[in-house]
Amino acid sequence: MKLLKILGWVLKIALFIIILVLVLDNMQAIDFNIFGIYHIKLPLIVLLLVFFVIGIVMGLVLGILRGFASKADMRRLEKEIESLKASRPINQL
């Protein structure tokens, strides 16, 4: 168990170092044009992080919506099962 904790920490440190190197290599400023209306000068890593977070949020929202739709389908199907059970003659078991 202790070996897994050590391995976990080593992987976390390695990931941190990789991300740190990525951040330091992408500090150049770029012009970000939004529909030709707004011009923003940002470091590349900030822009990458913003779009990464937007992607995560969109994925979470779509996953939650899909979960709600699945629950609604499940409730509808459970009601259908109950109505079919109720309409079945008693002597057919």
Side-chain angles (χ1 to χ4, degrees):
M1 194 59 135
K2 193 169 189 161
L3 179 64
L4 288 177
K5 280 189 176 185
I6 293 171
L7 183 62
W9 276 104
V10 168
L11 289 174
K12 288 176 187 176
I13 291 170
L15 184 64
F16 176 76
I17 290 172
I18 290 170
I19 292 172
L20 183 64
V21 169
L22 179 69
V23 167
L24 294 176
D25 282 346
N26 290 302
M27 288 302 295
Q28 65 270 21
I30 61 165
D31 289 325
F32 184 64
N33 218 352
I34 303 172
F35 301 118
I37 299 171
Y38 298 109
H39 301 278
I40 302 171
K41 193 170 199 119
L42 292 170
L44 178 60
I45 193 67
V46 171
L47 196 61
L48 290 172
L49 180 64
V50 166
F51 281 103
F52 178 72
V53 169
I54 289 171
I56 289 174
V57 169
M58 286 176 60
L60 287 173
V61 167
L62 291 175
I64 289 170
L65 291 175
R66 180 174 279 172
F68 286 147
S70 295
K71 284 183 182 180
D73 285 342
M74 188 172 62
R75 276 189 234 111
R76 181 184 55 81
L77 291 172
E78 285 174 347
K79 286 180 183 177
E80 187 177 334
I81 289 171
E82 289 301 319
S83 68
L84 289 172
K85 283 181 182 178
S87 67
R88 182 177 61 176
I90 296 174
N91 59 0
Q92 287 184 346
L93 289 178

